[in-house]
Amino acid sequence: MRNAHPQGSAQAPAGRIAEWLILDNMHHQWLLLAACFWVIFMFMVASKFITLTFKDPDAYSARQEFLFLTAMPDAGRSLGEKRFPEELKPTGKMASGSRLVQPLVYVQRLELIRNVCGEEALRNLSHTAVSRFVLDRIFVCDKHKILFCQTPKVGNTQWKKVLIVLNGAFPSIEEIPENVVHDHEKNGLPRLSSFSDAEIQKRLKTYFKFFIVRDPFERLISAFKDKFVHNPRFEPWYRHEIAPGIIRKYRRNRTETRGIQFEDFVRYLGDPNHRWLDLQFGDHIIHWVTYVELCAPCEIKYSVIGHHETLEDDAPYILREAGIDHLVSYPTIPPGITVYNRTKVERYFLGVSKRDIRRLYARFEGDFRLFGYQKPDFLLN
């Protein structure tokens, strides 16, 4: 019996040591399991973050493009005219997938206007007052916050149709009768001049604003053909009132009995004293006065300037930037109709003296410079 007690005493510590080892092992296993759970949890969080980041390309591109805006402060001021909020969220004016930065060509067009507007030597050819005449040219779509400045002979009929549909006067472009498009009593297109001064300023500051240009001399040819040669809308006053007035003052050969010729038209437009006839002709002169006189691009900060020569690209872009591309489409453009035709220009100016062409260019130089059209040296020299 004496030997049993020491043996029991020896076994007791051994049992406690074994128990402690088991508990310690279990503790390590719990720690290891907890560590595994923590790693898995962190991986899930990181994975979720990565997924959210790459599933939002619009937000990503917005941040990337904001860097472009801040790198080009001058362009940013013009683009600010389109009401981009500081938090980089597209407004209701823009479709959900639209970009916050204009493609480079449209930024360059606006920069060119700003630069030319700042040239003191061209001030008389690039600046004009925002008069009633200008405000009469700008059509308003309040529903979608759009201002469109009319520049005749540059495909404006189609843009009017787009705005008529947006204003709700007709359900689709195809349903608009041709005789209604230019009838401002029926087409549902209010002019900016019809609003109060405060309402005008509000719209000029906050609405999306655009207009379209084309080569200035080619536009004059189009105006001459449309009003004095073909006259498809039967507007007899061009042939029976305006043409005789031009002929009486500017035809050199008084024995010539033909109707108005293109050289008569050029001589009238290039005359520094043309304004006294303009006053007699009234608003009919909108078909051949300068873009500066029509839309005041140095006084009004437009959102986009479209070019007739690139209308296939510019029309969809304008609709997208205005946030209306899901509501209406620009009518189909016939192939080749917007391409600059130098041969036609040379043919029309063939019988015009160099002196008269230079005087014409002197009047329209502001349009050539503001909108990046090449000086027509092939006609001037």
Side-chain angles (χ1 to χ4, degrees), residues 161-180:
K161 290 179 180 179
V162 168
L163 293 183
I164 288 170
V165 171
L166 290 174
N167 276 348
F170 288 87
S172 70
I173 286 175
E174 294 73 24
E175 296 178 57
I176 305 173
E178 288 298 323
N179 64 319
V180 169

PDB file of all heavy atoms in Angstrom, residues 161-180:
ATOM      1  N   LYS A 161     -37.131  70.065 -88.322  1.00  0.00           N
ATOM      2  CA  LYS A 161     -38.028  68.919 -88.176  1.00  0.00           C
ATOM      3  C   LYS A 161     -37.747  68.178 -86.871  1.00  0.00           C
ATOM      4  O   LYS A 161     -38.682  67.742 -86.171  1.00  0.00           O
ATOM      5  CB  LYS A 161     -37.867  67.972 -89.364  1.00  0.00           C
ATOM      6  CG  LYS A 161     -38.396  68.520 -90.681  1.00  0.00           C
ATOM      7  CD  LYS A 161     -38.172  67.522 -91.810  1.00  0.00           C
ATOM      8  CE  LYS A 161     -38.704  68.048 -93.143  1.00  0.00           C
ATOM      9  NZ  LYS A 161     -38.456  67.098 -94.240  1.00  0.00           N
ATOM     10  N   VAL A 162     -36.481  68.030 -86.535  1.00  0.00           N
ATOM     11  CA  VAL A 162     -36.117  67.368 -85.277  1.00  0.00           C
ATOM     12  C   VAL A 162     -36.729  68.110 -84.091  1.00  0.00           C
ATOM     13  O   VAL A 162     -37.330  67.508 -83.192  1.00  0.00           O
ATOM     14  CB  VAL A 162     -34.578  67.294 -85.139  1.00  0.00           C
ATOM     15  CG1 VAL A 162     -34.181  66.884 -83.718  1.00  0.00           C
ATOM     16  CG2 VAL A 162     -33.995  66.310 -86.160  1.00  0.00           C
ATOM     17  N   LEU A 163     -36.595  69.436 -84.086  1.00  0.00           N
ATOM     18  CA  LEU A 163     -37.118  70.228 -82.970  1.00  0.00           C
ATOM     19  C   LEU A 163     -38.640  70.247 -82.945  1.00  0.00           C
ATOM     20  O   LEU A 163     -39.251  70.277 -81.862  1.00  0.00           O
ATOM     21  CB  LEU A 163     -36.584  71.659 -83.050  1.00  0.00           C
ATOM     22  CG  LEU A 163     -35.080  71.830 -82.824  1.00  0.00           C
ATOM     23  CD1 LEU A 163     -34.697  73.302 -82.861  1.00  0.00           C
ATOM     24  CD2 LEU A 163     -34.640  71.233 -81.498  1.00  0.00           C
ATOM     25  N   ILE A 164     -39.263  70.231 -84.113  1.00  0.00           N
ATOM     26  CA  ILE A 164     -40.732  70.208 -84.181  1.00  0.00           C
ATOM     27  C   ILE A 164     -41.263  68.950 -83.503  1.00  0.00           C
ATOM     28  O   ILE A 164     -42.237  68.996 -82.739  1.00  0.00           O
ATOM     29  CB  ILE A 164     -41.207  70.283 -85.653  1.00  0.00           C
ATOM     30  CG1 ILE A 164     -40.960  71.690 -86.208  1.00  0.00           C
ATOM     31  CG2 ILE A 164     -42.681  69.920 -85.770  1.00  0.00           C
ATOM     32  CD1 ILE A 164     -41.163  71.808 -87.712  1.00  0.00           C
ATOM     33  N   VAL A 165     -40.605  67.819 -83.755  1.00  0.00           N
ATOM     34  CA  VAL A 165     -41.010  66.566 -83.104  1.00  0.00           C
ATOM     35  C   VAL A 165     -40.759  66.632 -81.603  1.00  0.00           C
ATOM     36  O   VAL A 165     -41.610  66.240 -80.794  1.00  0.00           O
ATOM     37  CB  VAL A 165     -40.267  65.366 -83.738  1.00  0.00           C
ATOM     38  CG1 VAL A 165     -40.501  64.100 -82.926  1.00  0.00           C
ATOM     39  CG2 VAL A 165     -40.714  65.160 -85.181  1.00  0.00           C
ATOM     40  N   LEU A 166     -39.614  67.151 -81.206  1.00  0.00           N
ATOM     41  CA  LEU A 166     -39.290  67.242 -79.783  1.00  0.00           C
ATOM     42  C   LEU A 166     -40.265  68.148 -79.029  1.00  0.00           C
ATOM     43  O   LEU A 166     -40.577  67.912 -77.873  1.00  0.00           O
ATOM     44  CB  LEU A 166     -37.862  67.766 -79.602  1.00  0.00           C
ATOM     45  CG  LEU A 166     -36.727  66.829 -80.008  1.00  0.00           C
ATOM     46  CD1 LEU A 166     -35.398  67.535 -79.918  1.00  0.00           C
ATOM     47  CD2 LEU A 166     -36.722  65.569 -79.152  1.00  0.00           C
ATOM     48  N   ASN A 167     -40.739  69.183 -79.715  1.00  0.00           N
ATOM     49  CA  ASN A 167     -41.692  70.098 -79.079  1.00  0.00           C
ATOM     50  C   ASN A 167     -43.107  69.542 -79.047  1.00  0.00           C
ATOM     51  O   ASN A 167     -43.996  70.140 -78.445  1.00  0.00           O
ATOM     52  CB  ASN A 167     -41.685  71.448 -79.796  1.00  0.00           C
ATOM     53  CG  ASN A 167     -40.562  72.349 -79.296  1.00  0.00           C
ATOM     54  OD1 ASN A 167     -39.937  72.067 -78.275  1.00  0.00           O
ATOM     55  ND2 ASN A 167     -40.307  73.423 -80.013  1.00  0.00           N
ATOM     56  N   GLY A 168     -43.315  68.391 -79.711  1.00  0.00           N
ATOM     57  CA  GLY A 168     -44.605  67.723 -79.627  1.00  0.00           C
ATOM     58  C   GLY A 168     -45.640  68.155 -80.643  1.00  0.00           C
ATOM     59  O   GLY A 168     -46.800  67.744 -80.565  1.00  0.00           O
ATOM     60  N   ALA A 169     -45.233  68.977 -81.638  1.00  0.00           N
ATOM     61  CA  ALA A 169     -46.198  69.431 -82.638  1.00  0.00           C
ATOM     62  C   ALA A 169     -46.610  68.290 -83.569  1.00  0.00           C
ATOM     63  O   ALA A 169     -47.747  68.245 -84.049  1.00  0.00           O
ATOM     64  CB  ALA A 169     -45.619  70.588 -83.448  1.00  0.00           C
ATOM     65  N   PHE A 170     -45.674  67.363 -83.825  1.00  0.00           N
ATOM     66  CA  PHE A 170     -45.955  66.187 -84.644  1.00  0.00           C
ATOM     67  C   PHE A 170     -45.273  64.982 -84.010  1.00  0.00           C
ATOM     68  O   PHE A 170     -44.208  65.111 -83.398  1.00  0.00           O
ATOM     69  CB  PHE A 170     -45.455  66.379 -86.084  1.00  0.00           C
ATOM     70  CG  PHE A 170     -46.277  67.353 -86.890  1.00  0.00           C
ATOM     71  CD1 PHE A 170     -45.996  68.714 -86.853  1.00  0.00           C
ATOM     72  CD2 PHE A 170     -47.342  66.916 -87.665  1.00  0.00           C
ATOM     73  CE1 PHE A 170     -46.752  69.617 -87.574  1.00  0.00           C
ATOM     74  CE2 PHE A 170     -48.109  67.816 -88.402  1.00  0.00           C
ATOM     75  CZ  PHE A 170     -47.820  69.170 -88.355  1.00  0.00           C
ATOM     76  N   PRO A 171     -45.860  63.794 -84.169  1.00  0.00           N
ATOM     77  CA  PRO A 171     -45.289  62.607 -83.519  1.00  0.00           C
ATOM     78  C   PRO A 171     -44.007  62.092 -84.165  1.00  0.00           C
ATOM     79  O   PRO A 171     -43.223  61.409 -83.516  1.00  0.00           O
ATOM     80  CB  PRO A 171     -46.415  61.568 -83.620  1.00  0.00           C
ATOM     81  CG  PRO A 171     -47.259  62.021 -84.771  1.00  0.00           C
ATOM     82  CD  PRO A 171     -47.176  63.514 -84.792  1.00  0.00           C
ATOM     83  N   SER A 172     -43.798  62.380 -85.444  1.00  0.00           N
ATOM     84  CA  SER A 172     -42.587  61.895 -86.119  1.00  0.00           C
ATOM     85  C   SER A 172     -42.218  62.835 -87.256  1.00  0.00           C
ATOM     86  O   SER A 172     -43.060  63.602 -87.752  1.00  0.00           O
ATOM     87  CB  SER A 172     -42.785  60.478 -86.667  1.00  0.00           C
ATOM     88  OG  SER A 172     -43.679  60.488 -87.763  1.00  0.00           O
ATOM     89  N   ILE A 173     -40.952  62.773 -87.666  1.00  0.00           N
ATOM     90  CA  ILE A 173     -40.455  63.627 -88.745  1.00  0.00           C
ATOM     91  C   ILE A 173     -41.201  63.353 -90.044  1.00  0.00           C
ATOM     92  O   ILE A 173     -41.524  64.277 -90.801  1.00  0.00           O
ATOM     93  CB  ILE A 173     -38.941  63.416 -88.919  1.00  0.00           C
ATOM     94  CG1 ILE A 173     -38.190  64.093 -87.754  1.00  0.00           C
ATOM     95  CG2 ILE A 173     -38.446  63.952 -90.259  1.00  0.00           C
ATOM     96  CD1 ILE A 173     -36.703  63.859 -87.748  1.00  0.00           C
ATOM     97  N   GLU A 174     -41.508  62.082 -90.292  1.00  0.00           N
ATOM     98  CA  GLU A 174     -42.173  61.702 -91.549  1.00  0.00           C
ATOM     99  C   GLU A 174     -43.572  62.299 -91.674  1.00  0.00           C
ATOM    100  O   GLU A 174     -44.074  62.465 -92.795  1.00  0.00           O
ATOM    101  CB  GLU A 174     -42.266  60.177 -91.660  1.00  0.00           C
ATOM    102  CG  GLU A 174     -40.925  59.464 -91.802  1.00  0.00           C
ATOM    103  CD  GLU A 174     -40.105  59.442 -90.510  1.00  0.00           C
ATOM    104  OE1 GLU A 174     -40.710  59.561 -89.415  1.00  0.00           O
ATOM    105  OE2 GLU A 174     -38.866  59.334 -90.593  1.00  0.00           O
ATOM    106  N   GLU A 175     -44.180  62.645 -90.569  1.00  0.00           N
ATOM    107  CA  GLU A 175     -45.549  63.159 -90.587  1.00  0.00           C
ATOM    108  C   GLU A 175     -45.632  64.675 -90.695  1.00  0.00           C
ATOM    109  O   GLU A 175     -46.729  65.237 -90.739  1.00  0.00           O
ATOM    110  CB  GLU A 175     -46.290  62.682 -89.336  1.00  0.00           C
ATOM    111  CG  GLU A 175     -46.461  61.170 -89.255  1.00  0.00           C
ATOM    112  CD  GLU A 175     -47.154  60.746 -87.972  1.00  0.00           C
ATOM    113  OE1 GLU A 175     -48.276  61.227 -87.733  1.00  0.00           O
ATOM    114  OE2 GLU A 175     -46.577  59.940 -87.221  1.00  0.00           O
ATOM    115  N   ILE A 176     -44.493  65.356 -90.761  1.00  0.00           N
ATOM    116  CA  ILE A 176     -44.506  66.819 -90.839  1.00  0.00           C
ATOM    117  C   ILE A 176     -44.669  67.250 -92.302  1.00  0.00           C
ATOM    118  O   ILE A 176     -43.811  66.957 -93.131  1.00  0.00           O
ATOM    119  CB  ILE A 176     -43.199  67.415 -90.278  1.00  0.00           C
ATOM    120  CG1 ILE A 176     -42.946  66.932 -88.852  1.00  0.00           C
ATOM    121  CG2 ILE A 176     -43.249  68.945 -90.326  1.00  0.00           C
ATOM    122  CD1 ILE A 176     -41.594  67.342 -88.307  1.00  0.00           C
ATOM    123  N   PRO A 177     -45.744  67.940 -92.664  1.00  0.00           N
ATOM    124  CA  PRO A 177     -45.896  68.444 -94.041  1.00  0.00           C
ATOM    125  C   PRO A 177     -44.804  69.467 -94.359  1.00  0.00           C
ATOM    126  O   PRO A 177     -44.438  70.281 -93.500  1.00  0.00           O
ATOM    127  CB  PRO A 177     -47.284  69.101 -94.028  1.00  0.00           C
ATOM    128  CG  PRO A 177     -47.972  68.537 -92.826  1.00  0.00           C
ATOM    129  CD  PRO A 177     -46.894  68.258 -91.822  1.00  0.00           C
ATOM    130  N   GLU A 178     -44.279  69.430 -95.565  1.00  0.00           N
ATOM    131  CA  GLU A 178     -43.185  70.322 -95.942  1.00  0.00           C
ATOM    132  C   GLU A 178     -43.572  71.788 -95.798  1.00  0.00           C
ATOM    133  O   GLU A 178     -42.751  72.628 -95.448  1.00  0.00           O
ATOM    134  CB  GLU A 178     -42.730  70.031 -97.375  1.00  0.00           C
ATOM    135  CG  GLU A 178     -41.962  68.724 -97.534  1.00  0.00           C
ATOM    136  CD  GLU A 178     -40.663  68.702 -96.728  1.00  0.00           C
ATOM    137  OE1 GLU A 178     -40.003  69.752 -96.641  1.00  0.00           O
ATOM    138  OE2 GLU A 178     -40.324  67.639 -96.175  1.00  0.00           O
ATOM    139  N   ASN A 179     -44.835  72.109 -96.082  1.00  0.00           N
ATOM    140  CA  ASN A 179     -45.240  73.516 -96.017  1.00  0.00           C
ATOM    141  C   ASN A 179     -45.378  74.023 -94.587  1.00  0.00           C
ATOM    142  O   ASN A 179     -45.518  75.221 -94.353  1.00  0.00           O
ATOM    143  CB  ASN A 179     -46.567  73.711 -96.757  1.00  0.00           C
ATOM    144  CG  ASN A 179     -47.713  72.956 -96.096  1.00  0.00           C
ATOM    145  OD1 ASN A 179     -47.536  71.821 -95.662  1.00  0.00           O
ATOM    146  ND2 ASN A 179     -48.872  73.568 -96.022  1.00  0.00           N
ATOM    147  N   VAL A 180     -45.305  73.126 -93.617  1.00  0.00           N
ATOM    148  CA  VAL A 180     -45.419  73.520 -92.211  1.00  0.00           C
ATOM    149  C   VAL A 180     -44.055  73.838 -91.604  1.00  0.00           C
ATOM    150  O   VAL A 180     -43.955  74.664 -90.694  1.00  0.00           O
ATOM    151  CB  VAL A 180     -46.119  72.407 -91.400  1.00  0.00           C
ATOM    152  CG1 VAL A 180     -46.019  72.664 -89.900  1.00  0.00           C
ATOM    153  CG2 VAL A 180     -47.581  72.285 -91.814  1.00  0.00           C
TER     154      VAL A 180
END
